[in-house]
Amino acid sequence: MINLSGKIALITGASRGIGAATAIKFAEAGARGIILNYNRDRHAATGVSDQCKKLGAEAITVRADVARVSDAQKLVRATVERFGAVDILVANAGIWREAAIERMTEAEWDETINTNLKSIYACCAEAARVMLPKRRGTMILVSSTAGQRGEAFHSHYAATKGAIIAMTKSLAAELGPRGITVNCVAPGWVATDMTSDALTDSKQRRKIRELIPLGRVATADEIAGPILFLASELASHVNGEVLNVNGGSVLCG
């Protein structure tokens, strides 16, 4: 039922985890062009690109630090130069670092704010400039349960994810009348390399599972599926939505 035939999708943080899984889902759904953004791991991004190509999509990798406005602009412009459009933006790039508030440095705060939140501003602003003249497009921002309930020792991370939810609602109201939908996915615990240290520890893994009614953490594919839904015509009347994908660990409307 989900068909992205002819669509051009730009995915940030696409070399691993949720971003990589989303790129592959989009290729399976028939997306014409997929731009995989990465910052450091070119080899991993190329591997994801190769998988997308095998599924029939035209996929390219673009290195950009999307925490920098100039890099985000370069990324979107590269997409338009290659494919002529940006139909779907998935703003997924992010980091998750532990820091107690009394020991958190200004550099640690700034790194998380810039990577997780400034990148959202930079990518959405530039994508909007491309989408608005055509009066169509969709943006999907990746938040977290941390933005809904907070997270001890990760206050900087939680602050960015809460702000992403607020940006989703604000941009939905701002851009919706001009043909662009903006929605958000808020995952809970997901098994990716970003969470591998926490999930490798057996005691911590058991504690985490006990907090999830379904009794397990999600796979990256289980987050990519809802992102694919929001990118599709099935979600054409969904705007400003925060889609919780957390196994029931945070129950909010």
Side-chain angles (χ1 to χ4, degrees), residues 91-107:
N92 166 72
I95 57 174
W96 181 67
R97 308 267 168 80
E98 183 173 317
I101 190 62
E102 73 273 15
R103 294 193 298 273
M104 188 187 300
T105 66
E106 183 178 1

Side-chain angles (χ1 to χ4, degrees), residues 67-228:
R68 297 175 179 270
V69 172
S70 59
D71 272 24
Q73 291 173 338
K74 179 188 75 172
L75 175 63
V76 174
R77 288 168 187 167
T79 303
V80 174
E81 288 172 6
R82 180 63 175 266
F83 295 106
V86 178
D87 298 308
I88 303 162
L89 168 67
V90 179
N92 166 72
I95 57 174
W96 181 67
R97 308 267 168 80
E98 183 173 317
I101 190 62
E102 73 273 15
R103 294 193 298 273
M104 188 187 300
T105 66
E106 183 178 1
E108 288 173 323
W109 171 267
D110 286 346
E111 180 187 30
T112 296
I113 296 297
N114 289 340
T115 303
N116 293 9
L117 184 57
K118 187 178 177 183
S119 65
I120 298 286
Y121 148 71
C123 291
C124 289
E126 193 64 21
R129 294 182 184 110
V130 174
M131 294 176 178
L132 282 169
K134 298 183 178 183
R135 296 188 65 83
R136 70 173 187 272
T138 188
M139 301 181 187
I140 301 149
L141 317 184
V142 179
S143 180
S144 166
T145 54
Q148 297 166 314
R149 58 170 169 76
E151 186 171 2
F153 302 103
H154 296 85
S155 58
H156 49 346
Y157 176 81
T160 64
K161 295 303 182 177
I164 288 170
I165 290 172
M167 279 198 70
T168 297
K169 296 177 180 181
S170 300
L171 293 180
E174 178 179 334
L175 298 176
R178 294 183 280 174
I180 300 167
T181 61
V182 185
N183 292 292
C184 173
V185 169
W189 282 95
V190 185
T192 66
D193 60 345
M194 192 166 74
T195 60
S196 60
D197 288 345
L199 296 175
T200 299
D201 182 274
S202 60
K203 290 183 179 179
Q204 191 166 357
R205 185 172 63 249
R206 184 168 59 252
K207 183 178 179 181
I208 289 167
R209 287 175 174 170
E210 288 172 353
L211 296 173
I212 304 171
L214 289 184
R216 62 179 179 81
V217 301
T219 66
D221 275 351
E222 289 176 311
I223 311 304
I227 292 173
L228 173 61

